[in-house]
Amino acid sequence: MKNILLTIIFLGGFYPLFAQDNTDPISLLISSRVDTTSEEINAIIKLYENYYRSKPDSVYDNPYWNKKEKTLYKDFDFSRISIFQGGMDANTLFQYFSPFVLSVEPIGAKYQIRVLFSSATTDPKYAGSKVWCIQKLNAVKEGESWVLENLIVELSKGWSSKKLGCIDYIFPPTHEFDIQEAERAKSFCEEIIRRFNPGYDGEFKYYITSSMDDMGLLENFDYYFVGITSGKAREGMILTAKGNEFYPHEFIHKLLPSNPKRNFVIEEGIAQFLGTKENKEEYESLMNKLAVDLEERSETINFKSVISQSERFNGYQTAYPAGAAICELVHGHSGDQGLLQLLMADTMEYKNLVTTICLITKLSEQELEMKWSETLKKYRNL
């Protein structure tokens, strides 16, 4: 999930400039292509409008979503996390990105609604991001009422599946399944479980697509700028746009013992250190970026600024290499047990995180900062 902060930064500069003057922001503009003389189509439009009036940015038993998916998933709307980035609620989303219903079309017994969220800006500074997304959702009949459904249900109907260990691969007919990569993934997962979570007895689905747009459809986006990425670990599943069976970074997110008080820097850092590091070149490239910034932009990019995440982005998300360097340091000092101690601690606040690392490594805060910088310097001239 590498592009969340891009959108937050964008929004910070965007909000003051392009708010739409609308006393009722939860209202839809509708394309002339849409047959508004049809009672059923109007019912789908009304359903969508009602959903966005019902706090869809929050996770609760929303009456406008189907019961089956609400039972299967706590966070049942697969587009929610991405579309409401930057602290937005539905009113704010509609205020800054006017919704335009492009189409409402039947697909068998269901309907599919497609809605463009875009801003009115023509300023070149923001124009590249003026389309927030094109959201697609299905509507299905539940008793006498229409309710919403994720696209993934219909999209993956004709897909194949193959289970290896805890991974249930799901892939389209166009994908040639690579059993060697799948076996490699199975072995990797078993090793991580053995080292860090021996009580793990779960499994997850792994959806394979070959492009970010194809992956976006699995999260209800016909087009997306918001939240675009090449892979994502979701509730009960991993989505990938890389077209392959082996995605160690995302495996780490699924296999570690749960800890709601784990700092984002540690969550992504451990996935880098244990997962992305399987690809030496990719890992070293990202570590090099932070190492260069530490040397050339030390006033703004330094231990405190990136570990506290006051400096989150500089062409890459600083949390990933910053957290990986912490994990390298801790593992070098205390091995897997040190990493486990770090993973299970309350590290949400900067002070708690630093105190925990110092406790594990027996370093002072000043020594920790020095050792962390030295860890990154190894990647400076690669």
Side-chain angles (χ1 to χ4, degrees):
M1 300 174 70
K2 297 183 179 179
N3 288 21
I4 291 174
L5 295 172
L6 275 169
T7 53
I8 293 173
I9 290 164
F10 162 71
L11 283 172
F14 192 92
Y15 277 0
L17 298 176
F18 304 114
Q20 307 299 313
D21 184 12
N22 190 341
T23 54
D24 179 16
I26 309 294
S27 60
L28 301 169
L29 297 173
I30 301 171
S31 167
S32 297
R33 167 178 161 172
V34 178
D35 181 9
T36 53
T37 65
S38 163
E39 285 188 20
E40 281 201 333
I41 286 177
N42 279 327
I44 305 308
I45 294 170
K46 187 64 177 175
L47 166 66
Y48 189 88
E49 196 171 72
N50 284 340
Y51 180 58
Y52 271 87
R53 292 178 184 273
S54 68
K55 299 187 182 299
D57 44 276
S58 304
V59 178
Y60 73 103
D61 185 11
N62 192 295
Y64 301 109
W65 205 272
N66 73 87
K67 291 177 183 175
K68 183 177 180 180
E69 289 180 326
K70 287 191 292 186
T71 300
L72 287 172
Y73 309 105
K74 180 183 177 183
D75 195 356
F76 48 82
D77 178 353
F78 292 174
S79 50
R80 186 193 69 83
I81 291 175
S82 290
I83 203 168
F84 292 113
Q85 284 184 30
M88 286 196 296
D89 59 17
N91 281 347
T92 309
L93 175 69
F94 274 53
Q95 186 178 2
Y96 291 96
F97 298 95
S98 299
F100 182 68
V101 180
L102 296 168
S103 61
V104 181
E105 302 289 348
I107 49 167
K110 304 179 182 183
Y111 278 88
Q112 190 169 87
I113 187 167
R114 192 165 50 130
V115 181
L116 166 70
F117 286 89
S118 65
S119 76
T121 181
T122 56
D123 185 333
K125 183 178 178 181
Y126 299 104
S129 309
K130 71 174 290 171
V131 176
W132 193 239
C133 66
I134 299 174
Q135 186 184 34
K136 248 185 184 179
L137 291 170
N138 289 341
V140 297
K141 228 21 181 330
E142 198 169 71
E144 296 301 311
S145 302
W146 288 100
V147 288
L148 293 168
E149 176 190 75
N150 291 298
L151 294 186
I152 200 169
V153 176
E154 287 293 321
L155 282 172
S156 61
K157 257 185 180 177
W159 290 18
S160 301
S161 65
K162 189 177 288 288
K163 193 169 186 302
L164 280 85
C166 62
I167 312 170
D168 185 9
Y169 287 102
I170 301 173
F171 49 95
T174 52
H175 178 73
E176 187 174 337
F177 191 77
D178 189 332
I179 189 65
Q180 288 185 329
E181 283 293 277
E183 291 285 0
R184 182 183 174 206
K186 177 175 177 286
S187 296
F188 176 85
C189 290
E190 288 172 348
E191 178 67 10
I192 293 299
I193 290 168
R194 183 191 66 77
R195 290 170 62 189
F196 298 101
N197 198 6
Y200 180 87
D201 62 353
E203 59 182 48
F204 53 87
K205 297 181 185 299
Y206 184 103
Y207 288 87
I208 300 175
T209 71
S210 296
S211 73
M212 287 189 286
D213 284 328
D214 284 344
M215 195 187 102
L217 285 169
L218 298 178
E219 293 194 296
N220 307 322
F221 294 114
D222 200 30
Y223 167 87
Y224 64 143
F225 158 72
V226 54
I228 189 168
T229 183
S230 61
K232 196 173 290 187
R234 296 192 58 91
E235 188 178 352
M237 68 183 73
I238 287 173
L239 311 177
T240 178
K242 292 188 173 184
N244 64 10
E245 289 72 18
F246 187 63
Y247 207 145
H249 182 103
E250 300 303 336
F251 291 151
I252 297 299
H253 288 311
K254 301 304 298 180
L255 299 174
L256 292 179
S258 176
N259 177 10
K261 294 186 176 180
R262 186 179 300 143
N263 192 294
F264 174 72
V265 172
I266 299 304
E267 180 68 26
E268 292 301 340
I270 194 69
Q272 284 290 117
F273 177 61
L274 296 176
T276 305
K277 201 173 184 181
E278 291 289 302
N279 183 329
K280 186 171 181 284
E281 184 178 343
E282 182 181 353
Y283 182 80
E284 290 181 349
S285 173
L286 188 57
M287 299 297 276
N288 172 261
K289 288 178 181 178
L290 181 55
V292 170
D293 279 347
L294 284 176
E295 186 175 305
E296 298 180 358
R297 299 187 57 212
S298 59
E299 287 187 9
T300 54
I301 304 291
N302 51 59
F303 178 82
K304 186 169 185 179
S305 70
V306 295
I307 301 302
S308 69
Q309 286 292 275
S310 61
E311 289 289 337
R312 299 187 177 193
F313 188 77
N314 188 40
Y316 61 96
Q317 283 188 250
T318 58
Y320 287 65
I326 286 174
C327 292
E328 275 197 38
L329 193 161
V330 167
H331 190 262
H333 188 278
S334 303
D336 285 359
Q337 284 305 116
L339 283 180
L340 266 172
Q341 190 177 343
L342 177 63
L343 291 172
M344 300 314 297
D346 177 357
T347 53
M348 285 296 287
E349 301 299 326
Y350 171 79
K351 183 178 179 180
N352 286 2
L353 175 55
V354 172
T355 299
T356 299
I357 302 167
C358 289
L359 181 67
I360 296 168
T361 60
K362 299 180 171 54
L363 298 171
S364 68
E365 187 169 340
Q366 186 177 11
E367 290 170 332
L368 168 60
E369 182 175 341
M370 182 181 68
K371 292 286 186 183
W372 179 82
S373 296
E374 288 174 359
T375 299
L376 284 160
K377 280 179 183 176
K378 296 184 302 183
Y379 300 97
R380 173 63 180 89
N381 296 314
L382 294 178

